[in-house]
Amino acid sequence: MFTLVRSRVRTAALALSAVAALAFGGTAATGAAAAPVPAKQGPTSVAYVEVNNNSMRNVGKYTLANGGGNVFDVAVVFAANINYDTATKAAYLHFNENVQRVLDNAATEIRPLQRKGIKVVLSVLGNHQGAGFANFPSQQAASAFAKQLSDAVAKYGLDGIDFDDEYAEYGNNGTGRPNDSSFVHLVTALRANMPGKIISLYNIGPAASRLSYGGVDVSSMFDYAWNPYYGTWQVPRVTLPKSRLSPAAVEIGRTSRSTVAGLARRTVSEGYGVYLTYNLDGNDRSADVSAFTRELYGSDAVYTP
């Protein structure tokens, strides 16, 4: 696979503060009020976690040496899947055993992050079965899948959904090719179902290029969109303000620290409000994380096991 794209293991306005970021999605039903979050001025930092191998708790182990604020504002559970039932000829939401374990253990994997003020969203990814976000055969089918997504957010006390249109393999199992209406119907229905939650776009695949249909443009329904190619700078072609976009994308531990720092400097200098990272693991990555926190927030990162 192209090395700039994430390597995965699977079974199937600048000065954007963390407090402002919390407005993108309501507080999850944690059963306890979130603790006050130390102020942090700068872009929203996002961390994808491969839960087949790593714990979501790792996201909460990084704070800023200056002020003690969270390094990361959004944690992404990577990843649930959109699967295809050949009997009913319908897409359905699937959790592999590792994703299911995280959700079932939300009290230890998710709630501690939310109590720190970190939003936790669920990424949904294709699974080689032909079902994708861009080939629902009807508005009703798209709405049905949107309900599965919003039901999962409600059931597990999550803060939103992230769309990643890769590995669908459109056409498998007799499924349709991508169409123009599908993703628009899906996002519209999902936003209606969860108006106070995050919807983010990993800007790749057929769905990402089909954001307008029948006079409806769903671009403004996303809270964030980000570049999918690690180690590069690419502005997502989504009509959102700079404060909601991440042209920078890095893989922690694999993208060189000089590139990580350079992309962070560019994020600040060009006025973008989000910085995307992928593959935070359980090791002490404070040196790699500090490479961008020094540029974004003027502070080193501290790792607390």
Side-chain angles (χ1 to χ4, degrees):
M1 180 180 292
F2 184 40
T3 57
L4 290 178
V5 181
R6 63 181 68 183
S7 169
R8 294 164 168 148
V9 178
R10 61 174 62 81
T11 55
L14 183 57
L16 183 67
S17 69
V19 174
L22 296 179
F24 301 145
T27 301
T30 62
V37 180
K40 183 184 77 173
Q41 294 298 317
T44 296
S45 291
V46 181
Y48 275 81
V49 178
E50 287 264 15
V51 297
N52 286 341
N53 310 302
N54 300 296
S55 170
M56 292 302 295
R57 294 190 299 270
N58 295 326
V59 181
K61 295 179 179 180
Y62 293 87
T63 55
L64 297 176
N66 298 339
N70 297 318
V71 166
F72 297 106
D73 305 291
V74 180
V76 184
V77 179
F78 187 81
N81 297 107
I82 178 172
N83 279 11
Y84 188 69
D85 187 321
T86 56
T88 63
K89 300 187 184 304
Y92 67 95
L93 180 62
H94 171 73
F95 306 135
N96 71 26
E97 62 183 0
N98 297 301
V99 173
Q100 189 67 65
R101 172 184 49 78
V102 170
L103 298 175
D104 288 343
N105 291 281
T108 57
E109 290 284 318
I110 296 172
R111 300 295 174 259
L113 301 181
Q114 292 173 325
R115 285 194 291 268
K116 290 175 180 283
I118 300 169
K119 295 297 185 178
V120 180
V121 306
L122 178 68
S123 182
V124 186
L125 177 75
N127 201 19
H128 313 281
Q129 298 183 11
F133 313 128
N135 69 342
F136 289 105
S138 67
Q139 183 173 3
Q140 291 74 17
S143 295
F145 189 71
K147 187 176 188 303
Q148 292 183 48
L149 296 176
S150 58
D151 284 351
V153 168
K155 178 177 180 178
Y156 296 108
L158 301 170
D159 296 297
I161 292 291
D162 174 66
F163 287 113
D164 184 348
D165 190 17
E166 298 179 273
Y167 309 107
E169 297 188 17
Y170 289 99
N172 278 2
N173 290 314
T175 57
R177 304 304 301 175
N179 62 65
D180 292 339
S181 64
S182 178
F183 195 44
V184 172
H185 290 324
L186 176 60
V187 176
T188 300
L190 184 61
R191 178 48 78 206
N193 291 352
M194 45 180 229
K197 300 290 185 176
I198 292 169
I199 303 177
S200 59
L201 177 65
Y202 189 79
N203 190 42
I204 199 169
S209 63
R210 292 168 166 84
L211 303 182
S212 180
Y213 176 77
V216 177
D217 189 324
V218 296
S219 296
S220 64
M221 297 182 191
F222 293 105
D223 294 285
Y224 306 109
W226 27 71
N227 172 16
Y229 301 105
Y230 301 113
T232 73
W233 178 273
Q234 180 176 287
V235 180
R237 295 181 179 179
V238 182
T239 308
L240 286 172
K242 284 185 172 184
S243 62
R244 307 284 187 93
L245 298 175
S246 181
V250 303
E251 182 170 355
I252 294 173
R254 295 192 66 183
T255 304
S256 71
R257 292 173 190 168
S258 61
T259 298
V260 168
L263 291 171
R265 280 195 300 273
R266 188 169 180 182
T267 297
V268 172
S269 67
E270 297 193 20
Y272 287 93
V274 188
Y275 191 86
L276 178 69
T277 75
Y278 167 69
N279 208 23
L280 183 68
D281 61 21
N283 298 312
D284 180 354
R285 297 293 183 181
S286 54
D288 297 296
V289 173
S290 292
F292 67 83
T293 62
R294 283 192 292 265
E295 304 297 334
L296 299 181
Y297 313 119
S299 175
D300 282 335
V302 175
Y303 173 77
T304 304

